Amino acid sequence: MDGVEPVLYPLLRRDLIAQGPRYVVQIGDKVIDYNEDFRLFLATRNPSPFIPPDAVSVVTEVNFTTTRAGLRGQLLALTIQQEKPELETEKTRLLQQEEDKKIQLAQLEDSLLETLATAQGNILENSELIDSLNQTKASSALIQESLQESHRLQASLDQERDAYLPLAESASKMYFVITDLSKINNMYRFSLAAFLRLFQRALQAKKEEENTEARIAALETKLKNMVYEYVCRSLFKADQLMFAIHFVKGMHPELFQENEWDVFTGSIVGEMFKKEELPSWIDQERHGAVAVFKSTFPALYQTLCLSDSDLWLSFLQSSHCEQEIPSSIAKKISPFQQVSFQSTLELCRTFISMHIFLCKSVF
C-alpha cells in the first residue's frame, strides 16, 4: 500500500453501529458485520510512507526497516555472546535488576501516597504512620543506591563491550554495501538473515590471537572474505568486478579523495570546454576526458607532468601500460588516482587497472 484509503476511515475509527446483539460498520456502500477480534495490518516497502493528518491518530506506524545503528547493536550483541558470553549475561542481569528496582520504587511511592491519603487524625501524632514513612524513605534510599551502583557497573560493562564495536560497525557497513546491489539488478537481493548466518560463521573462527584488537582484525578480515565470496557466487560474471570496486568504496572510503569516485563513475560530466593545449601524445578521442580530469583535479594534473613526453615514453610504448606509470609519478599519487588517470587516457585498460588496484589495496 502507498497510503490509507479514505474508505477505510470508518473501520479505523471504529465507527460501529449497534444492530441488536451485533455491531456493524459501513465501508463504502456496504454494511458489514464487525468482529471484536478483527485487526487490520497494512504493509508497504516504502520506509517513510505518507500518512494523512486525519489518519495519524487512528493508525499505529511500526517501522521494521533495518538501520545502521540498529543492525550495529544487534551485531555487537551477537559478537559479545560468542566472544565474551559472561559480559552479555551480566548485562542482562543488571538490566533485569534495574527494572525490578524501578518497579519497587514505584510501588513504594504508590504505597506512600495511599498511606497519606487514608491517614486519619493528626498526621504528626500518628506514630505508626511516621514509622511507616521513615521505613519507606530508608527503602527508597537503598533502592536509589542500588540503581546508581547498577548504572556504574553497566558503564563498566559497556566499556568492555565497546571494544568489539569496530567489528559490528564494519559488519553493518558490509550489509548496506551489498543491499545497494539491488539498484543494479533486482535479482541481487540479500536477506538480513543470510548475512547474520555469515556473521555467526565468521565468529566461530578459531581463536589464535592473544589480544582483543588482533582478534577483531582477524574476524573482520575473515568476514570480509566470506561476504565477498558469498556475494560473488550470486552475481553474473560481468558484474563481479563492479561489485569488487563498489565493495572497496563502501568499506574503505579513505582510499578515495573528493570527486575521484564521481569522475570515475561519470557522475561529473564536462561541459563545453575551451580548446586547450594538451600534450600531443594523448589520443585525440580522449581530449574531452582529459579536459574534465584537468579541470576537476588541477593539482593532480600538474603532478603528472604530462607535458614531459620523455617521462611517459615507456608508458606509451608498453602493451601493459597500467604497469608502466613512471615510478617518480606513482610515488606521488594514490592507487585509485592511478586507476582514474588510466581510465581517462585509455578506457580499454580500465578493467586491468581496477584488478591491480583491488589486489594491491584490499584483496
Side-chain angles (χ1 to χ4, degrees):
M1 51 80 70
D2 295 323
V4 181
E5 296 295 334
V7 71
L8 296 176
Y9 285 3
L11 178 60
L12 297 174
R13 291 196 300 260
R14 292 170 61 91
D15 294 340
L16 306 180
I17 304 171
Q19 289 187 355
R22 64 193 182 102
Y23 287 96
V24 297
V25 61
Q26 184 166 354
I27 300 179
D29 298 333
K30 296 183 179 180
V31 177
I32 302 174
D33 287 343
Y34 181 80
N35 190 307
E36 288 293 337
D37 295 329
F38 175 77
R39 298 291 183 273
L40 177 64
F41 296 90
L42 303 175
T44 178
R45 288 186 177 274
N46 186 354
S48 54
F50 172 71
I51 300 178
D54 52 347
V56 171
S57 60
V58 294
V59 173
T60 300
E61 182 181 358
V62 181
N63 191 347
F64 290 99
T65 305
T66 304
T67 63
R68 287 183 182 271
L71 181 58
R72 183 174 63 241
Q74 185 177 357
L75 294 173
L76 179 60
L78 289 174
T79 304
I80 298 300
Q81 287 176 7
Q82 179 68 29
E83 297 293 310
K84 296 286 185 70
E86 68 279 2
L87 287 182
E88 195 66 16
T89 303
E90 183 66 12
K91 176 77 172 178
T92 304
R93 188 189 68 80
L94 286 174
L95 288 174
Q96 182 63 45
Q97 185 182 54
E98 183 177 335
E99 289 302 315
D100 292 341
K101 295 294 183 183
K102 287 180 179 179
I103 292 173
Q104 292 179 22
L105 189 59
Q107 290 175 345
L108 285 174
E109 291 173 353
D110 292 341
S111 174
L112 177 60
L113 292 174
E114 183 179 358
T115 303
L116 290 173
T118 57
Q120 297 179 354
N122 190 346
I123 296 179
L124 298 177
E125 296 178 357
N126 191 335
S127 58
E128 184 177 341
L129 174 61
I130 292 174
D131 292 341
S132 176
L133 292 176
N134 289 333
Q135 185 178 358
T136 301
K137 181 180 178 181
S139 300
S140 177
L142 288 174
I143 292 174
Q144 290 288 1
E145 289 178 6
S146 298
L147 287 174
Q148 292 177 1
E149 179 66 14
S150 177
H151 290 157
R152 187 185 64 78
L153 291 174
Q154 283 190 51
S156 176
L157 288 177
D158 287 340
Q159 189 173 1
E160 293 186 55
R161 294 172 82 250
D162 287 347
Y164 291 89
L165 194 58
L167 175 62
E169 179 68 37
S170 178
S172 176
K173 198 184 297 183
M174 285 184 207
Y175 173 74
F176 284 97
V177 166
I178 64 176
T179 55
D180 284 343
L181 286 173
S182 61
K183 299 174 183 177
I184 305 298
N185 191 317
N186 198 47
M187 293 192 302
Y188 296 161
R189 292 187 179 273
F190 299 88
S191 68
L192 178 59
F195 181 80
L196 291 178
R197 286 195 295 270
L198 280 176
F199 186 74
Q200 289 175 323
R201 280 170 51 194
L203 291 177
Q204 293 171 2
K206 184 178 179 182
K207 293 184 180 181
E208 298 178 351
E209 300 75 17
E210 296 182 358
N211 58 62
T212 303
E213 291 183 2
R215 173 64 174 167
I216 291 174
L219 287 174
E220 188 173 344
T221 302
K222 176 76 172 177
L223 178 64
K224 188 189 301 179
N225 292 334
M226 290 177 64
V227 170
Y228 179 75
E229 292 173 3
Y230 176 81
V231 173
C232 278
R233 286 198 300 267
S234 308
L235 305 181
F236 292 119
K237 187 176 181 179
D239 293 331
Q240 291 179 357
L241 185 59
M242 173 274 299
F243 167 67
I245 195 74
H246 178 70
F247 190 73
V248 172
K249 173 64 169 61
M251 296 303 301
H252 301 280
E254 69 279 0
L255 298 177
F256 304 80
Q257 298 181 20
E258 185 179 4
N259 292 331
E260 288 182 356
W261 180 256
D262 293 332
V263 170
F264 179 73
T265 56
S267 299
I268 295 180
V269 180
E271 300 176 358
M272 295 299 294
F273 289 98
K274 297 179 182 178
K275 191 171 182 180
E276 297 188 35
E277 287 292 332
L278 296 176
S280 59
W281 59 270
I282 297 179
D283 192 341
Q284 185 73 26
E285 294 181 357
R286 305 305 300 165
H287 276 200
V290 174
V292 173
F293 187 90
K294 181 178 179 180
S295 64
T296 308
F297 312 113
L300 176 59
Y301 185 85
Q302 291 293 330
T303 303
L304 292 172
C305 302
L306 296 181
S307 58
D308 188 350
S309 57
D310 293 335
L311 181 65
W312 292 93
L313 183 62
S314 61
F315 177 86
L316 289 170
Q317 297 176 346
S318 174
S319 59
H320 302 284
C321 54
E322 63 280 345
Q323 300 177 5
E324 296 293 339
I325 294 178
S327 58
S328 60
I329 301 297
K331 294 176 182 178
K332 299 178 182 179
I333 61 178
S334 69
F336 187 74
Q337 286 174 342
Q338 296 181 30
V339 176
S340 182
F341 170 66
Q342 184 70 51
S343 66
T344 300
L345 286 185
E346 297 189 51
L347 198 60
C348 61
R349 309 298 296 180
T350 302
F351 285 179
I352 300 176
S353 300
M354 289 169 61
H355 273 292
I356 296 174
F357 165 72
L358 294 170
C359 292
K360 287 183 177 179
S361 301
V362 182
F363 300 106

